[in-house]
Amino acid sequence: MNPADWKVRIGKVDFFGPPPFVLGHEFSGTVEGIGEGVARFAVGEEVYGWTVPPRGSHADHVVVTEDRIAPKPRTLDHVGSAALPISGFTAYQALVTLPDVRSTSSSSASVWTGPR
């Protein structure tokens, strides 16, 4: 369970609106159906991704847009893959999309983990 999930569970943040609702942001599973215009994925393909509230991922089925999923890594099972989306995307943003680090730069990073 990622930090967003437990914060919703204890009532610290309100992503989903008033109860009842389905918790969860991240998931891994097999595509069972696709909507019109979906080109990157096919029925039967294993994927992982994250939902956008108010749709929770702690359900038997989820519906998401194509940009919220990726092919599941072959080296991971569904449990491991479901742990990747938000933390992996956060790490990617921190290392690739946000900083303007060049080969001539020197920098350091402090990393904190765990609940605060």
Side-chain angles (χ1 to χ4, degrees), residues 16-109:
F16 293 93
F21 50 78
V22 176
L23 290 171
H25 289 80
E26 301 162 302
F27 65 89
S28 182
T30 304
V31 176
E32 290 193 3
I34 58 172
E36 187 176 321
V38 173
R40 293 177 41 220
F41 301 97
V43 171
E45 188 170 354
E46 292 185 323
V47 297
Y48 73 106
W50 70 94
T51 61
V52 177
R55 296 180 177 133
S57 65
H58 297 177
D60 292 333
H61 295 85
V62 296
V63 176
V64 294
T65 56
E66 189 174 16
D67 63 332
R68 298 283 178 183
I69 59 175
K72 182 184 82 60
R74 290 187 300 271
T75 56
L76 294 176
D77 61 11
H78 284 292
V79 173
S81 295
L84 289 176
I86 294 175
S87 58
F89 185 66
T90 300
Y92 182 83
Q93 283 182 309
L95 296 172
V96 178
T97 63
L98 296 179
D100 186 18
V101 178
R102 304 197 192 301
S103 61
T104 58
S105 302
S106 65
S107 62
S108 62

